[in-house]
Amino acid sequence: MNISSKEKYEHPLVERYASKEMSFIWSPAKKFSTWRKLWLALAEVEQQLGLSITDEQLEELRNNVDDIDFDLAEKKEAEFRHDVMAHVHAYGVKCPKAMPIIHLGATSCYVGDNTDLIQIKESLVLVQDKMLGLLNVMKQFADKYKSLPTLGFTHFQPAQLTTVGKRCTLWMHDLLMDYNDIQNLLEELPMRGVKGTTGTQATFLELFDGDHDKVKELNKRVCEKMGFSKWVPVSGQTYSRKIDFKVLSALSGLAQSAYKMCSDIRLLASMKEIEEPFGKNQIGSSAMAYKRNPMRSERVCSLARYLMSLPQNAANTHANQWFERTLDDSAIRRITLPEAFLSADVILSTLINIADGLHVWPAVIKQHIALELPFMATEVILMQCVKAGGDRQILHEAIREHSMAAGRRVKEEGAANDLLERIAQDPLFAPVHAHLHELLEPAQFVGRAPEQVTDFLVECIDPILAEHAAKIGALNVDAVNV
């Protein structure tokens, strides 16, 4: 390979990151073969409803759906300055007998918009399948560590204990909401259908001699042929660009969840409690050879930040569509729709890789708990002393004074937390002196966290995973390039 082969921009989402499956969905081969399938479906139904289209013409169309001369199409587009008509002629060269009836009655958005919706639908299915794979991996992690105590954090300050598995379910719950949003989208996603130049179906009404029922049936049958049970009830030339906004908003939700999860992992990695996978020969820094940087999580956050920005773009595009259609939606949608799904695809593949190889370091977690647990145990100590006859207010003030002194010693001198030693020497707390250290068992401070993990997995995750077990078993996740 010489330098001349690298003189053209290569999109990193395709060249470096995204899966073959998602890249194919947004490829020229997929796009333009789908155009041909739409032209074929239109012609088939037009024949069924009485137009003069022969079986020989249809057979010619069928035999050449994937036989696309891209060079010819490019030459025709340069000549016509119109991509749809360029491909009409490229198809017609392969199908000379069918040429007169290709695109009969249709407008450019018949192939353009309907193909977009087909690509969106297939992409949403792929995203959802990968989400199932991710939840399956995370479920195993959450269950494995459901009882391992760890410091909770509020305001990024140590707080009441939780468990490693319980924290994982917080990430899973976000992703579950995203999964459900995408499921709802798939159930409601319509096809544009056969609507004509401004959405009135006037050309088709002319073709069928004013027969409104046949025009309605044409729209219904074409949509069903292309795998849609719903279609937009009314449209201008295009389907409402609000649909794009809803789709990108759902993907943005996924990106938000991914960003939060990987931000947590990055923070935990800095404390050496949990770390993402790290290859045997992986290099964390070109200068600092000892480093184990959370590069996968950082990549997720980087792409998620971009994906989260795209719904605003779709909102502006929808808001700026004048009347039945303006073409200022076209160029930007060629960028945002593929990039949104390619980004989501990379995010999910990377998350699966991270979740499947997370390293947990219990000894480090235990050490961090030991530094803070004496402070957290004071409420239990207070309650037990009060039950033994102590004065709550006096005990509270004594704990406050001891805590401040112990905390000052830790911060000023770097010494160990000696709060328990102080309490053990204070006669006010005599009722707990004999079993003071028993009160410091971390498992006593996690509440119902283990039970909550089990309940969440059984009630919310297992039913979905069981319903789609075959999909999960067949899921193919591309290797993550680090």
Side-chain angles (χ1 to χ4, degrees):
M1 182 183 298
N2 56 42
I3 194 169
S4 63
S5 67
K6 292 293 182 180
E7 291 178 349
K8 186 177 180 181
Y9 175 72
E10 296 177 347
H11 202 304
L13 282 173
V14 176
E15 300 297 328
R16 188 172 176 86
Y17 299 136
S19 69
K20 297 179 181 68
E21 294 85 355
M22 189 64 80
S23 295
F24 173 72
I25 290 173
W26 295 96
S27 69
K30 172 67 175 180
K31 175 180 178 178
F32 295 118
S33 64
T34 303
W35 282 15
R36 293 188 174 190
K37 290 174 184 176
L38 283 160
W39 282 320
L40 172 60
L42 179 63
E44 287 174 335
V45 179
E46 286 175 335
Q47 185 205 51
Q48 293 169 8
L49 295 173
L51 294 191
S52 181
I53 296 173
T54 68
D55 291 341
E56 187 179 22
Q57 288 174 315
L58 294 180
E59 189 63 23
E60 196 175 48
L61 291 175
R62 289 188 196 101
N63 292 338
N64 288 280
V65 165
D66 295 315
D67 186 9
I68 303 173
D69 187 338
F70 285 99
D71 290 335
L72 176 60
E74 287 179 9
K75 290 177 183 177
K76 289 295 183 182
E77 185 171 355
E79 177 185 348
F80 299 149
R81 308 300 299 170
H82 197 289
D83 57 348
V84 173
M85 287 307 300
H87 277 271
V88 166
H89 281 262
Y91 201 8
V93 168
K94 298 289 184 180
C95 308
K97 295 175 183 176
M99 178 63 172
I101 55 92
I102 296 174
H103 200 66
L104 183 58
T107 187
S108 297
C109 284
Y110 168 69
V111 289
D113 272 31
N114 283 323
T115 294
D116 288 343
L117 289 165
I118 290 167
Q119 290 173 302
I120 287 170
K121 182 179 180 180
E122 292 185 12
S123 296
L124 286 172
V125 170
L126 181 56
V127 165
Q128 194 176 50
D129 288 351
K130 288 195 172 184
M131 292 185 76
L132 289 168
L134 175 59
L135 289 171
N136 184 53
V137 173
M138 293 178 72
K139 173 204 166 179
Q140 297 168 46
F141 181 89
D143 188 56
K144 180 177 180 179
Y145 293 105
K146 65 184 177 184
S147 299
L148 179 61
T150 189
L151 282 176
F153 289 93
T154 58
H155 313 274
F156 199 31
Q157 300 298 312
Q160 191 174 62
L161 299 190
T162 182
T163 68
V164 171
K166 172 62 189 299
R167 180 174 284 142
C168 181
T169 63
L170 301 183
W171 305 331
M172 294 176 72
H173 183 230
D174 286 346
L175 291 165
L176 180 61
M177 288 189 281
D178 301 324
Y179 177 90
N180 289 331
D181 287 343
I182 290 173
Q183 179 62 35
N184 291 335
L185 261 180
L186 280 168
E187 291 174 357
E188 297 298 324
L189 188 70
M191 188 170 169
R192 174 190 176 272
V194 183
K195 293 293 193 291
T197 54
T198 59
T200 65
Q201 299 175 306
T203 306
F204 295 104
L205 194 62
E206 178 68 26
L207 283 172
F208 288 102
D209 299 322
D211 191 327
H212 289 266
D213 290 337
K214 282 190 175 181
V215 175
K216 289 174 67 176
E217 187 65 17
L218 173 71
N219 182 72
K220 176 177 180 294
R221 290 189 193 182
V222 168
C223 291
E224 290 175 345
K225 269 183 173 290
M226 300 309 297
F228 285 78
S229 60
K230 296 183 179 180
W231 41 87
V232 295
V234 292
S235 75
Q237 189 173 92
T238 70
Y239 68 80
S240 171
R241 298 311 185 213
K242 185 175 281 290
I243 292 176
D244 293 347
F245 173 76
K246 292 176 69 175
V247 169
L248 295 188
S249 294
L251 296 181
S252 171
L254 166 61
Q256 294 159 34
S257 302
Y259 198 112
K260 189 266 190 290
M261 173 180 169
C262 286
S263 292
D264 284 355
I265 291 172
R266 291 163 67 189
L267 292 170
L268 291 167
S270 75
M271 296 185 286
K272 297 180 173 57
E273 291 193 1
I274 291 179
E275 293 176 327
E276 65 177 39
F278 197 84
K280 180 180 179 182
N281 297 314
Q282 183 175 333
I283 296 173
S285 168
S286 62
M288 295 167 281
Y290 59 87
K291 294 198 75 178
R292 286 186 57 150
N293 297 328
M295 294 170 63
R296 293 169 172 84
S297 297
E298 290 172 318
R299 175 181 301 166
V300 168
C301 290
S302 179
L303 292 172
R305 190 161 58 242
Y306 174 66
L307 182 48
M308 287 187 288
S309 74
L310 295 181
Q312 184 60 46
N313 188 299
N316 288 329
T317 298
H318 172 60
N320 282 284
Q321 285 297 285
W322 302 345
F323 302 115
E324 280 65 50
R325 198 268 169 95
T326 56
L327 196 60
D328 59 349
D329 65 337
S330 178
I332 194 63
R333 292 177 69 254
R334 292 173 190 256
I335 298 170
T336 56
L337 289 176
E339 289 190 356
F341 280 105
L342 290 165
S343 297
D345 180 66
V346 179
I347 286 169
L348 285 167
S349 294
T350 311
L351 284 178
I352 292 171
N353 179 270
I354 292 170
D356 195 38
L358 274 179
H359 296 285
V360 178
W361 304 112
V364 178
I365 294 173
K366 185 177 181 180
Q367 184 182 47
H368 290 163
I369 291 174
L371 292 174
E372 303 294 339
L373 194 57
F375 296 120
M376 298 174 190
T378 55
E379 188 171 359
V380 174
I381 292 171
L382 176 64
M383 292 301 101
Q384 293 206 7
C385 288
V386 169
K387 286 194 291 184
D391 184 309
R392 191 265 179 198
Q393 312 312 329
I394 293 174
L395 290 164
H396 184 277
E397 177 59 20
I399 288 175
R400 188 191 69 80
E401 292 177 357
H402 288 317
S403 297
M404 293 300 105
R408 187 163 53 250
R409 181 171 180 266
V410 169
K411 295 172 184 177
E412 292 179 355
E413 303 174 21
N417 187 335
D418 66 347
L419 176 58
L420 291 185
E421 285 78 2
R422 292 171 183 270
I423 289 175
Q425 295 170 14
D426 189 332
L428 282 172
F429 299 96
V432 298
H433 283 171
H435 58 280
L436 188 58
H437 286 280
E438 295 175 11
L439 300 179
L440 290 184
E441 171 52 50
Q444 296 185 31
F445 293 86
V446 300
R448 295 193 64 253
E451 291 76 16
Q452 288 177 337
V453 172
T454 298
D455 290 346
F456 173 72
L457 297 180
V458 169
E459 296 170 10
C460 301
I461 300 300
D462 285 349
I464 293 176
L465 298 184
E467 181 182 355
H468 301 287
K471 280 187 175 182
I472 296 169
L475 183 64
N476 175 39
V477 180
D478 284 5
V480 172
N481 179 23
V482 177

